[in-house]
Amino acid sequence: MATDRSLATLLRALQVASSDEQDVSRLLGSATTLLTILSNPLNLTLLTAQLLSAPAIWSRPHGLHTMIRLLSIFNSAGIQVLKNEKSSLAPNSFSSRTNLAKDDWIIAVIKGADERSPRWRHLLALGGLLLGFEGQERKGLSESLRMKLESATVRALNLALHEIEEGCEVAATTVIMTVCHVFSLLSEHEKMCVNHDLLLPRLSWAPFFSTEGLHFGYFLSTMDADIVEGPSRKFDWSMKSSTYFQVQRIASSPLIASLGSLSRVTAYSIDHVQDLELLPTLIGDISAFTRSLCIQWRQNKLSEIDSKEESEYLSDETIRTSFPLIWRVLKSSMFCIVVILRALLGRILEDATISMDGAPYMAIQTLTILRNLYFISSRKGLSTFSQYTFVYLTAIDILSQYPIQAEAFLREIRPAEIGLISEHPLDRCHDLYFLNTAEHFPTMLTAQVSEDLLIAAATPYLGVGSDPRLIEIFEAAHSVVLGVFSVPQNSEIVVKHIHPYFDALFKVFPQKLSGRQFRMAVKTLVRITSPPSPISTDQPLLSSTLLELIRMHTEGASSVPLQRVNSQPDLEDNMTEDSALSEQCVLALTLIDSLPFLSISLLEEWLPIAAETIHIIQDNTMRHKCQQRFWNVLSTGEMDVNCAALCVSWWSTRGGKEIVLHGTKKKEDTFMSGGLGEPSKL
């Protein structure tokens, strides 16, 4: 009787509309308890129906937080019923459990999802039951009952997708939130029964554009008003500011907290959608969101601070507490988008029905999205995880099959002011993305486009290696220039730009360029100017000229071990090795590294010169490194067959071994016939 009185009291309270979130929370807590102890199936059905339609809950629902509470009510009740069934409680402990059989209890609750409430609310009850009995590998349902519950859930989902009115945000976000929680529990058959043509547009809209999600990224620009300069002339974003609480609310939103599962559901939906026109629409929507996100970030004062200068310009509290919150939200969003893009590109590669015109559009949109997100992914190596790498390189591979579209894309994302170093950190970030991406396309661009677009964009950054903020873009610029030089049809560009570039190398080495990087750059230049490169026909002495310049610099180079230069974190091991070498030693190694690329005639000339250069080095350890490297070049297969035969002959019969190990011996003094030398004892 006490249970009946409690039920009657709760039902009366549910009929009174309330805007107090605490009152609603108390009612939902009472409902959870009653669901687990009611023994009359009609009362269970009545209580479920009221929870899905009562004015106290639905007159002014508090967004998805109310929906997640309702979902958790049925989830918790299911877990408790399952525990009660397995427990060995005494029969007189009726107050803590229902006397109904488990299957009867489930059927009674399901009957409460009736015509008095819309279909999308039914998902809360059905999804909660499925989570309660089958979540976390509980396996609390018989095979037949689980199939019925899954089927009912999918049927309610499809009907809800049909019935949701445009602009009803609560309904749409509730459906998506529930799907994210229960989708992994559905059988493969039921997953395929979902109407993915209706589900996919909702999956992209809810997290990125709804007010329960990221809402176009507007929070990034609104928080700018609360970022103020403190007494220490450092910017502070207080944890007590309204925008901090707003970002906290976004981070704790059920949709944002479920971005991982949402991305997996979206990926599955992409693989099974029937209307292929939805795919370009989807990627267009994501592109619009990331463009908005990037624009909002630029309007934030924090975007004006380079990641390497944060400790200099941000307060300790901001760095330690509030700043990580914003990056946690942004990183979660980026990971979600990358997973979705991976599914989109996978569908393009696997589905032959997608038109050839659609492939370059999808690839361009993918690369544009990654560019918009690069201010996130470029921080602390976030762009190196496998999903991101797959998406990035796959999009480039697809676009590389369409030279006209590739050129148009590069022109679209090129630096705003060609030939100048960008001042704003976000612009420099985009310049870095442009250079990293452009490096993959020189083979399909004309020589004129490569010179006007790639060389011009890279040139300002060739000498900025001493600035810690520009290390990555400095290295990317050198990679682009060498990539353009390596294309056979760009021989005119090489002739025009190789000498200024070679001068630039010596201006930045060794203060700004590491020994490893310098050796790689020169080795590439020698390879480009040697046979069978077309430029070696018109300029047969160009490679020899480069080596002669190296040899000349070796004579006057410093013999002091190099200081470590700024470089990317993943190159630290190479930098440690470089620090044991002097500038003179690196130049000698550069000569040795270049030998395998020379023609036979030049190789015969440069073998003894390179060997003699080793003995300019006075330090025994460094000289031994050069000798070891010389031997490796000759003996480990770096030479082609003809050059290797020449090296064997030079080493064994023409004094090569002695020159490498001991240097060229000085000629003995000459005397007149019959004369006596100084040491003579006569």
Side-chain angles (χ1 to χ4, degrees):
M1 294 296 293
T3 302
D4 291 339
R5 285 195 298 271
S6 298
L7 176 62
T9 301
L10 177 61
L11 292 177
R12 284 194 300 271
L14 287 173
Q15 302 309 309
V16 180
S18 174
S19 60
D20 191 339
E21 191 172 358
Q22 291 184 349
D23 289 343
V24 174
S25 182
R26 283 194 295 269
L27 292 176
L28 295 179
S30 300
T32 305
T33 303
L34 284 173
L35 280 173
T36 61
I37 64 177
L38 289 174
S39 298
N40 188 330
L42 296 177
N43 287 340
L44 274 172
T45 300
L46 176 61
L47 178 55
T48 301
Q50 287 300 307
L51 288 173
L52 298 179
S53 61
I57 300 173
W58 297 102
S59 60
R60 289 184 179 180
H62 298 279
L64 283 184
H65 289 287
T66 299
M67 306 305 130
I68 201 72
R69 283 295 308 276
L70 282 165
L71 185 69
S72 66
I73 283 175
F74 295 102
N75 174 32
S76 300
I79 293 173
Q80 188 60 46
V81 168
L82 189 60
K83 285 181 178 179
N84 291 341
E85 184 189 49
K86 297 178 179 179
S87 68
S88 57
L89 294 175
N92 58 0
S93 300
F94 66 94
S95 59
S96 63
R97 63 173 181 172
T98 178
N99 291 327
L100 282 175
K102 179 183 64 180
D103 289 5
D104 295 335
W105 185 89
I106 293 172
I107 292 172
V109 172
I110 292 176
K111 286 182 178 179
D114 54 24
E115 67 281 353
R116 285 174 286 185
S117 55
R119 300 281 186 178
W120 61 270
R121 296 183 192 174
H122 296 177
L123 279 174
L124 296 171
L126 298 171
L129 293 177
L130 195 57
L131 284 169
F133 287 99
E134 293 294 326
Q136 299 180 352
E137 302 293 330
R138 278 186 282 271
K139 300 188 182 300
L141 299 176
S142 63
E143 187 67 25
S144 60
L145 186 56
R146 174 168 182 167
M147 291 176 61
K148 290 178 181 178
L149 185 55
E150 288 183 10
S151 179
T153 303
V154 171
R155 194 181 312 113
L157 170 60
N158 289 335
L159 290 172
L161 290 171
H162 275 287
E163 295 174 3
I164 291 176
E165 297 179 1
E166 194 68 31
C168 186
E169 182 171 309
V170 173
T173 52
T174 299
V175 168
I176 298 306
M177 178 201 70
T178 308
V179 169
C180 290
H181 282 84
V182 305
F183 197 77
S184 61
L185 300 177
L186 299 176
S187 66
E188 188 65 25
H189 171 73
E190 294 299 339
K191 288 179 181 178
M192 296 183 67
C193 289
V194 173
N195 190 332
H196 293 285
D197 288 357
L198 293 177
L199 178 62
L200 186 58
R202 301 289 185 185
L203 285 169
S204 63
W205 170 83
F208 303 131
F209 301 105
S210 71
T211 55
E212 291 288 344
L214 297 169
H215 198 212
F216 295 88
Y218 291 151
F219 64 93
L220 289 177
S221 57
T222 56
M223 62 183 275
D224 180 69
D226 289 330
I227 300 173
V228 296
E229 188 174 359
S232 60
R233 302 188 63 81
K234 291 186 176 183
F235 289 103
D236 180 67
W237 182 37
S238 174
M239 295 176 62
K240 299 179 181 179
S241 64
S242 60
T243 52
Y244 180 81
F245 290 120
Q246 179 191 14
V247 176
Q248 268 192 327
R249 182 189 63 78
I250 292 173
S252 61
S253 165
L255 272 181
I256 303 305
S258 304
L259 280 178
S261 56
L262 186 145
S263 64
R264 291 189 291 272
V265 175
T266 306
Y268 187 93
S269 190
I270 289 170
D271 289 339
H272 294 84
V273 71
Q274 299 297 314
D275 184 2
L276 296 181
E277 292 300 320
L278 292 174
L279 300 182
T281 303
L282 171 64
I283 201 169
D285 290 342
I286 296 176
S287 179
F289 166 74
T290 58
R291 182 169 59 253
S292 175
L293 193 71
C294 188
I295 291 172
Q296 302 306 315
W297 175 246
R298 179 181 284 275
Q299 297 174 14
N300 191 313
K301 292 185 186 74
L302 298 178
S303 70
E304 301 173 9
I305 302 173
D306 192 275
S307 60
K308 295 179 176 60
E309 298 177 326
E310 289 169 1
S311 60
E312 181 179 351
Y313 291 104
L314 295 179
S315 67
D316 293 339
E317 181 188 9
T318 301
I319 294 175
R320 188 175 59 255
T321 56
S322 54
F323 202 44
L325 175 65
I326 194 71
W327 287 110
R328 187 163 68 248
V329 173
L330 292 175
K331 284 191 290 185
S332 298
S333 308
M334 184 198 72
F335 290 145
C336 174
I337 290 172
V338 168
V339 172
I340 294 173
L341 292 176
R342 188 189 187 286
L344 280 165
L345 294 179
R347 184 70 188 269
I348 293 175
L349 297 176
E350 294 174 2
D351 198 331
T353 60
I354 296 179
S355 65
M356 295 299 291
D357 294 336
Y361 170 80
M362 300 285 275
I364 288 173
Q365 289 296 322
T366 298
L367 292 173
T368 301
I369 290 169
L370 296 182
R371 177 179 183 267
N372 293 334
L373 295 175
Y374 203 59
F375 75 94
I376 307 171
S377 61
S378 60
R379 292 177 63 90
K380 299 179 181 179
L382 293 177
S383 60
T384 59
F385 72 103
S386 58
Q387 297 265 22
Y388 184 98
T389 303
F390 173 85
V391 168
Y392 180 61
L393 295 180
T394 301
I396 288 175
D397 285 344
I398 294 173
L399 187 57
S400 64
Q401 301 175 43
Y402 305 89
I404 296 176
Q405 290 89 335
E407 179 183 337
F409 170 69
L410 291 177
R411 290 188 180 279
E412 182 180 350
I413 68 168
R414 67 180 179 178
E417 298 185 27
I418 292 286
L420 297 176
I421 296 176
S422 299
E423 293 293 333
H424 199 287
L426 185 58
D427 291 332
R428 291 200 299 269
C429 179
H430 288 162
D431 290 354
L432 175 60
Y433 182 84
F434 170 80
L435 292 173
N436 284 338
T437 304
E439 184 183 352
H440 297 272
F441 292 100
T443 55
M444 66 189 63
L445 300 176
T446 64
Q448 189 63 46
V449 171
S450 294
E451 183 175 15
D452 295 343
L453 201 58
L454 307 191
I455 297 292
T459 299
Y461 293 102
L462 293 177
V464 296
S466 60
D467 191 335
R469 301 171 303 170
L470 304 177
I471 290 299
E472 291 181 81
I473 197 168
F474 165 73
E475 295 177 353
H478 281 271
S479 295
V480 167
V481 172
L482 293 175
V484 173
F485 285 176
S486 299
V487 178
Q489 63 263 31
N490 290 344
S491 56
E492 293 183 3
I493 295 179
V494 176
V495 172
K496 181 177 179 181
H497 292 279
I498 193 169
H499 291 295
Y501 179 70
F502 204 70
D503 290 341
L505 286 178
F506 277 104
K507 289 178 181 178
V508 295
F509 173 76
Q511 291 81 12
K512 305 174 184 178
L513 197 68
S514 70
R516 179 197 62 84
Q517 293 167 324
F518 180 82
R519 289 166 62 184
M520 178 65 70
V522 174
K523 183 169 65 173
T524 303
L525 293 177
V526 173
R527 177 180 58 81
I528 291 168
T529 55
S530 300
S533 173
I535 195 174
S536 64
T537 304
D538 300 328
Q539 303 280 339
L541 299 179
L542 187 53
S543 58
S544 184
T545 302
L546 298 179
L547 294 181
E548 180 61 26
L549 290 172
I550 297 290
R551 190 197 63 78
M552 290 172 59
H553 278 82
T554 304
E555 295 177 353
S558 171
S559 58
V560 178
L562 296 175
Q563 297 294 318
R564 182 174 175 177
V565 300
N566 293 313
S567 190
Q568 297 182 49
D570 57 341
L571 300 177
E572 289 184 358
D573 292 340
N574 300 95
M575 298 303 102
T576 303
E577 181 181 348
D578 282 347
S579 63
L581 306 178
S582 66
E583 177 185 357
Q584 196 174 61
C585 181
V586 170
L587 292 173
L589 288 170
T590 303
L591 282 180
I592 298 169
D593 290 342
S594 303
L595 293 177
F597 304 104
L598 299 177
S599 63
I600 290 183
S601 58
L602 287 179
L603 178 62
E604 188 172 10
E605 175 186 348
W606 277 96
L607 278 171
I609 297 175
E612 290 169 1
T613 304
I614 294 175
H615 296 279
I616 297 177
I617 302 170
Q618 299 300 315
D619 186 275
N620 292 332
T621 302
M622 295 182 190
R623 186 167 62 250
H624 178 71
K625 285 182 179 290
C626 293
Q627 291 169 335
Q628 186 63 46
R629 176 58 185 150
F630 202 109
W631 172 249
N632 289 339
V633 167
L634 299 185
S635 63
T636 57
E638 294 187 39
M639 300 281 186
D640 63 28
V641 175
N642 294 330
C643 290
L646 172 65
C647 291
V648 170
S649 173
W650 177 80
W651 180 268
S652 57
T653 64
R654 295 162 59 183
K657 176 181 177 181
E658 288 72 18
I659 299 176
V660 172
L661 297 180
H662 308 295
T664 304
K665 294 182 179 180
K666 294 182 179 180
K667 295 181 179 180
E668 297 181 357
D669 294 336
T670 55
F671 298 94
M672 180 180 64
S673 177
L676 299 175
E678 187 68 25
S680 175
K681 295 182 179 180
L682 295 177

